[in-house]
Amino acid sequence: MRIKKEVEERIYEMEKVAELFGIEPFDMYFLGGSACILGGYSDRATRDFDFIDLNYSAKLGKVFIHLRDFDMLEYESTLISPKYRERAIQLEQFRYLNIYILSIEDIIVSKIIRLQNKDLQDIDILIERADKILINQIINEVINRDDLFDSKKKGFIEKLELFRERYNV
Protein backbone atom coordinates (compact mmCIF):
# COMPACT_ATOMS: atom_id res chain seq x y z
CA MET A 1 0.00 0.00 0.00
CA ARG A 2 2.93 2.31 0.68
CA ILE A 3 4.13 2.07 -2.92
CA LYS A 4 0.68 3.11 -4.21
CA LYS A 5 0.77 6.20 -1.97
CA GLU A 6 4.23 7.10 -3.31
CA VAL A 7 3.09 6.71 -6.91
CA GLU A 8 -0.04 8.78 -6.28
CA GLU A 9 1.99 11.46 -4.49
CA ARG A 10 4.15 12.02 -7.56
CA ILE A 11 1.08 12.55 -9.69
CA TYR A 12 -0.38 14.94 -7.09
CA GLU A 13 2.89 16.91 -7.25
CA MET A 14 2.63 17.01 -11.02
CA GLU A 15 -0.93 18.31 -10.78
CA LYS A 16 0.12 21.07 -8.37
CA VAL A 17 2.87 22.24 -10.71
CA ALA A 18 0.54 22.20 -13.72
CA GLU A 19 -1.96 24.34 -11.81
CA LEU A 20 0.72 26.67 -10.50
CA PHE A 21 2.06 27.34 -13.99
CA GLY A 22 -1.45 27.79 -15.40
CA ILE A 23 -1.15 24.79 -17.69
CA GLU A 24 -4.49 23.65 -19.01
CA PRO A 25 -5.58 20.21 -17.78
CA PHE A 26 -4.54 17.43 -20.14
CA ASP A 27 -4.96 13.67 -20.52
CA MET A 28 -2.36 11.07 -19.52
CA TYR A 29 -2.67 7.34 -20.20
CA PHE A 30 -0.48 5.19 -17.97
CA LEU A 31 0.48 1.59 -18.65
CA GLY A 32 3.05 -0.78 -17.21
CA GLY A 33 3.85 -1.19 -13.54
CA SER A 34 2.67 2.22 -12.41
CA ALA A 35 -0.74 1.64 -14.01
CA CYS A 36 -0.96 -1.74 -12.30
CA ILE A 37 -0.23 -0.14 -8.93
CA LEU A 38 -2.63 2.77 -9.47
CA GLY A 39 -5.41 0.43 -10.59
CA GLY A 40 -4.85 -2.06 -7.81
CA TYR A 41 -4.05 -4.74 -10.39
CA SER A 42 -0.71 -5.55 -8.75
CA ASP A 43 1.50 -4.31 -5.94
CA ARG A 44 4.89 -5.20 -7.41
CA ALA A 45 7.24 -2.39 -6.48
CA THR A 46 8.01 0.03 -9.29
CA ARG A 47 8.70 3.70 -9.23
CA ASP A 48 8.86 4.40 -12.94
CA PHE A 49 6.00 5.74 -15.00
CA ASP A 50 5.19 4.65 -18.53
CA PHE A 51 2.69 6.74 -20.41
CA ILE A 52 1.65 7.26 -24.00
CA ASP A 53 2.94 10.35 -25.77
CA LEU A 54 -0.09 12.27 -26.98
CA ASN A 55 2.13 14.75 -28.84
CA TYR A 56 2.63 16.80 -25.72
CA SER A 57 4.02 20.29 -25.89
CA ALA A 58 7.60 20.77 -24.71
CA LYS A 59 6.34 23.14 -21.99
CA LEU A 60 4.90 20.12 -20.17
CA GLY A 61 8.44 18.95 -19.38
CA LYS A 62 8.37 21.02 -16.19
CA VAL A 63 5.27 19.03 -15.17
CA PHE A 64 6.49 15.58 -16.21
CA ILE A 65 9.80 16.00 -14.37
CA HIS A 66 7.91 15.52 -11.09
CA LEU A 67 7.35 11.89 -12.02
CA ARG A 68 11.15 11.60 -11.80
CA ASP A 69 11.65 8.29 -13.62
CA PHE A 70 9.37 8.13 -16.66
CA ASP A 71 9.15 6.84 -20.21
CA MET A 72 6.98 8.72 -22.66
CA LEU A 73 6.11 6.02 -25.20
CA GLU A 74 5.44 7.00 -28.77
CA TYR A 75 2.28 5.44 -30.08
CA GLU A 76 3.90 4.05 -33.25
CA SER A 77 6.32 1.92 -31.25
CA THR A 78 3.99 0.82 -28.45
CA LEU A 79 2.02 -2.41 -28.65
CA ILE A 80 -1.39 -1.01 -27.86
CA SER A 81 -4.70 -1.12 -29.66
CA PRO A 82 -6.05 1.97 -31.40
CA LYS A 83 -9.09 1.52 -29.11
CA TYR A 84 -7.15 1.68 -25.81
CA ARG A 85 -8.86 4.94 -24.82
CA GLU A 86 -12.31 3.31 -24.96
CA ARG A 87 -11.25 0.80 -22.28
CA ALA A 88 -9.06 3.09 -20.18
CA ILE A 89 -10.19 3.88 -16.65
CA GLN A 90 -10.09 7.45 -15.37
CA LEU A 91 -8.73 7.77 -11.84
CA GLU A 92 -11.07 10.02 -9.91
CA GLN A 93 -8.67 10.85 -7.07
CA PHE A 94 -6.85 13.25 -9.38
CA ARG A 95 -8.82 16.47 -9.69
CA TYR A 96 -6.84 18.67 -12.07
CA LEU A 97 -5.30 16.41 -14.69
CA ASN A 98 -7.18 13.67 -16.52
CA ILE A 99 -5.27 10.58 -15.38
CA TYR A 100 -6.15 7.25 -16.99
CA ILE A 101 -4.80 3.74 -16.68
CA LEU A 102 -5.09 1.18 -19.42
CA SER A 103 -7.31 -1.83 -18.92
CA ILE A 104 -5.78 -5.03 -17.58
CA GLU A 105 -6.19 -6.60 -21.02
CA ASP A 106 -4.45 -3.71 -22.81
CA ILE A 107 -1.58 -3.86 -20.32
CA ILE A 108 -1.20 -7.62 -20.82
CA VAL A 109 -1.06 -7.24 -24.59
CA SER A 110 1.50 -4.43 -24.30
CA LYS A 111 3.79 -6.82 -22.40
CA ILE A 112 3.74 -9.61 -25.01
CA ILE A 113 6.63 -8.17 -27.03
CA ARG A 114 9.12 -8.72 -24.20
CA LEU A 115 7.97 -11.67 -22.11
CA GLN A 116 10.97 -11.42 -19.81
CA ASN A 117 10.71 -12.89 -16.30
CA LYS A 118 9.36 -9.65 -14.85
CA ASP A 119 6.71 -9.43 -17.59
CA LEU A 120 5.71 -13.06 -17.15
CA GLN A 121 5.35 -12.55 -13.39
CA ASP A 122 3.13 -9.53 -14.04
CA ILE A 123 1.02 -11.37 -16.59
CA ASP A 124 0.68 -14.36 -14.23
CA ILE A 125 -1.06 -12.03 -11.78
CA LEU A 126 -3.03 -9.98 -14.30
CA ILE A 127 -4.35 -12.89 -16.37
CA GLU A 128 -6.45 -14.14 -13.43
CA ARG A 129 -8.60 -10.99 -13.64
CA ALA A 130 -8.51 -10.60 -17.41
CA ASP A 131 -11.06 -11.33 -20.11
CA LYS A 132 -9.30 -13.68 -22.56
CA ILE A 133 -11.80 -12.98 -25.33
CA LEU A 134 -11.00 -9.28 -25.02
CA ILE A 135 -7.27 -10.05 -25.00
CA ASN A 136 -7.69 -11.85 -28.35
CA GLN A 137 -9.64 -8.90 -29.73
CA ILE A 138 -6.90 -6.48 -28.64
CA ILE A 139 -4.20 -8.73 -30.14
CA ASN A 140 -6.02 -8.60 -33.47
CA GLU A 141 -6.39 -4.81 -33.22
CA VAL A 142 -2.64 -4.48 -32.63
CA ILE A 143 -1.73 -6.82 -35.50
CA ASN A 144 -4.01 -4.87 -37.84
CA ARG A 145 -2.42 -1.50 -37.06
CA ASP A 146 -0.93 0.14 -40.14
CA ASP A 147 0.91 2.76 -38.09
CA LEU A 148 2.91 0.36 -35.91
CA PHE A 149 6.63 0.11 -36.65
CA ASP A 150 7.27 -3.09 -38.62
CA SER A 151 10.04 -4.22 -36.27
CA LYS A 152 7.68 -3.92 -33.29
CA LYS A 153 4.90 -5.80 -35.07
CA LYS A 154 7.33 -8.55 -36.07
CA GLY A 155 8.66 -8.90 -32.49
CA PHE A 156 5.10 -9.00 -31.18
CA ILE A 157 4.05 -11.74 -33.59
CA GLU A 158 7.18 -13.77 -32.76
CA LYS A 159 6.31 -13.79 -29.02
CA LEU A 160 2.62 -14.35 -29.56
CA GLU A 161 2.82 -18.15 -29.87
CA LEU A 162 4.66 -18.46 -26.54
CA PHE A 163 2.12 -16.15 -24.88
CA ARG A 164 -0.87 -18.04 -26.29
CA GLU A 165 0.59 -21.38 -25.24
CA ARG A 166 1.51 -20.31 -21.70
CA TYR A 167 -1.79 -18.56 -20.94
CA ASN A 168 -4.18 -20.60 -23.08
CA VAL A 169 -5.34 -17.51 -24.97
Side-chain angles (χ1 to χ4, degrees), residues 13-24 26 63 96-97:
E13 287 174 19
M14 193 175 66
E15 281 191 308
K16 289 175 194 171
V17 169
E19 254 186 306
L20 181 69
F21 282 105
I23 294 172
E24 290 291 316
F26 56 90
V63 176
Y96 189 72
L97 301 178

